[in-house]
Amino acid sequence: MRIQISSASRKHLGVRLVVASVSGGKDSTALALTLMENEIPHVRVFADTGFEAPETYQYIDLLRTWLGPIEVVRNEALWRDALPGEEGMLTLIRRKKMFPSRLMRFCTQQLKIFPIRDHLRALQDRGDDMVSAVGVRAEESAARAQMAEWEFWDEMDAEIWRPLLDWTEQDVIDMHRRHGLP
């Protein structure tokens, strides 16, 4: 069964550029596939933490063959002058002198949110009217269940769209199967 993007969402989207965050996970892959199936023009971006599993990088490469280009963004300050093999997350841990935890989630902000925010700002600076699309699903957590499909996120200075919010995990799996993706 093909899941359609609602006419209300299409109207709200208008002609804005959709920037889809692709993490190499199942939900963000389903997001990109859904945008393709629904013929919604979009670009894809991957926030490289420097600390992903080798399989994640391999999957991103596989996705490029299926989806097309995926731009890589990262916190460049954590790559400059880093020890070889310690770019990104390990440099951040060294600088903070602590590991991230559930209560100290500095890694998400520094390694994912800021690089994507900077990328979105660069698109806005060149004149693009855009929206950031993410593959968040309500059933993942109580906090995500409280999220809206559309909202303006001040930290990103952009509108965030969550088209998979009402999807089940089975919907995501079915999307992958329909396209022959693991």
Side-chain angles (χ1 to χ4, degrees):
M1 176 183 95
R2 188 172 153 189
I3 298 178
Q4 298 288 324
I5 299 297
S6 72
S7 59
S9 285
R10 284 183 179 275
K11 184 177 180 181
H12 189 87
L13 181 61
V15 296
R16 292 184 285 175
L17 174 65
V18 175
V19 180
S21 292
V22 176
S23 67
K26 68 185 184 325
D27 296 337
S28 68
T29 300
L31 167 68
L33 292 169
T34 299
L35 294 172
M36 281 180 45
E37 276 191 3
N38 284 271
E39 298 178 353
I40 295 176
H42 65 285
V43 296
R44 292 159 296 277
V45 63
F46 168 67
D48 186 3
T49 65
F51 205 64
E52 306 296 334
E55 295 84 3
T56 300
Y57 292 110
Q58 291 166 4
Y59 195 67
I60 291 291
D61 287 340
L62 171 68
L63 290 178
R64 284 186 177 104
T65 66
W66 282 85
L67 303 171
I70 300 173
E71 187 164 350
V72 176
V73 297
R74 61 186 186 192
N75 184 332
E76 291 298 333
L78 298 175
W79 261 256
R80 284 191 301 270
D81 302 322
L83 297 173
E86 289 196 7
E87 299 87 355
M89 173 71 108
L90 294 176
T91 298
L92 183 58
I93 290 168
R94 187 179 305 281
R95 287 182 185 171
K96 294 276 189 185
K97 298 182 179 161
M98 69 172 71
F99 289 94
S101 69
R102 187 175 54 82
L103 300 175
M104 297 290 290
R105 297 187 55 164
F106 56 83
C107 59
T108 301
Q109 188 175 47
Q110 292 286 324
L111 298 170
K112 293 187 177 201
I113 292 174
F114 288 172
I116 291 174
R117 180 202 61 201
D118 294 346
H119 181 70
L120 297 177
R121 284 182 179 164
L123 293 173
Q124 290 167 333
D125 288 348
R126 77 174 195 198
D128 286 324
D129 186 12
M130 50 106 251
V131 61
S132 177
V134 294
V136 169
R137 294 181 303 107
E139 75 175 17
E140 292 179 287
S141 71
R144 290 181 176 193
Q146 300 302 311
M147 293 177 169
E149 181 180 355
W150 291 94
E151 88 179 276
F152 190 84
W153 191 10
D154 288 332
E155 188 168 14
M156 286 292 208
D157 193 29
E159 191 163 28
I160 305 297
W161 180 33
R162 301 177 184 99
L164 308 188
L165 197 61
D166 294 329
W167 282 36
T168 65
E169 186 174 39
Q170 190 60 54
D171 292 331
V172 171
I173 292 167
D174 291 346
M175 176 62 78
H176 284 250
R177 286 187 178 146
R178 188 164 51 255
H179 288 272
L181 278 170

